Amino acid sequence: MPLISQRVELARNGTNDKVICRMVSGWAVMGDVQFLPGYCLLLPDPVVPSLNDLDTEARATYLLDMARMGDAVMQATGALRMNYEILGNSEPELHCHIFPRYASEPEENRKMPVWFYDWKNAVAYSEETHGELRRKIAQLLEASSSV
């Protein structure tokens, strides 16, 4: 089973420890690594190959959920700005990477795509270290859904 499908299945079963919350279009989850605190992803449910495979209403819902996640992460972290990336080249199922960007990042990294960071040696997500941030993002998303 492809990675995104696996992660969505774990979320549905309540066994994905990185789940922030269920959103209308899918699952908000923390990234496996946290080289930028608050890095998270939006996984669609049901899983589709790409954004282009969603009908107009589902596409709009997914993109709105993506922006809501960015707002929540920005508020929770105090990030300078947010970057959103939908690639799908390595994992050919729709998923959006949501990256907070910080003024405190090293100068050589700040203006470059996050893919230039050392992902292999990055701090792994752990509930002990990142759980409070995950819960704060979830609270902000819950509050924004009732507005």
Side-chain angles (χ1 to χ4, degrees):
M1 180 184 294
L3 181 62
I4 303 305
S5 291
Q6 288 175 8
R7 297 297 175 95
V8 168
E9 188 64 29
L10 291 171
R12 287 177 186 156
N13 295 335
T15 55
N16 183 334
D17 67 338
K18 295 172 189 72
V19 167
I20 299 168
C21 66
R22 177 71 161 102
M23 300 190 74
V24 176
S25 68
W27 298 92
V29 299
M30 298 296 287
D32 289 349
V33 293
Q34 293 291 303
F35 56 89
L36 292 169
Y39 161 50
C40 55
L41 297 96
L42 178 59
L43 310 178
D45 191 354
V47 176
V48 295
S50 74
L51 187 65
N52 304 89
D53 293 294
L54 297 174
D55 65 30
T56 302
E57 184 177 338
R59 188 179 297 183
T61 300
Y62 185 83
L63 294 172
L64 180 58
D65 280 352
M66 181 184 76
R68 285 184 51 231
M69 284 180 65
D71 290 341
V73 171
M74 183 177 269
Q75 188 175 346
T77 63
L80 181 64
R81 66 175 296 115
M82 299 302 298
N83 288 173
Y84 305 86
E85 295 194 32
I86 299 174
L87 303 169
N89 299 321
S90 298
E91 299 296 334
E93 296 176 304
L94 178 60
H95 59 288
C96 178
H97 299 268
I98 300 169
F99 297 107
R101 301 305 300 259
Y102 299 95
S104 61
E105 289 178 65
E107 180 69 31
E108 64 273 10
N109 292 1
R110 191 174 324 127
K111 294 182 181 179
M112 302 293 286
V114 298
W115 307 106
F116 288 91
Y117 274 91
D118 182 0
W119 285 59
K120 290 183 173 135
N121 294 309
V123 174
Y125 174 86
S126 77
E127 186 63 19
E128 182 178 317
T129 305
H130 306 102
E132 185 176 332
L133 178 56
R134 182 185 61 76
R135 288 186 294 277
K136 186 172 184 180
I137 295 167
Q139 289 170 347
L140 291 164
L141 285 169
E142 183 178 325
S144 74
S145 70
S146 60
V147 174

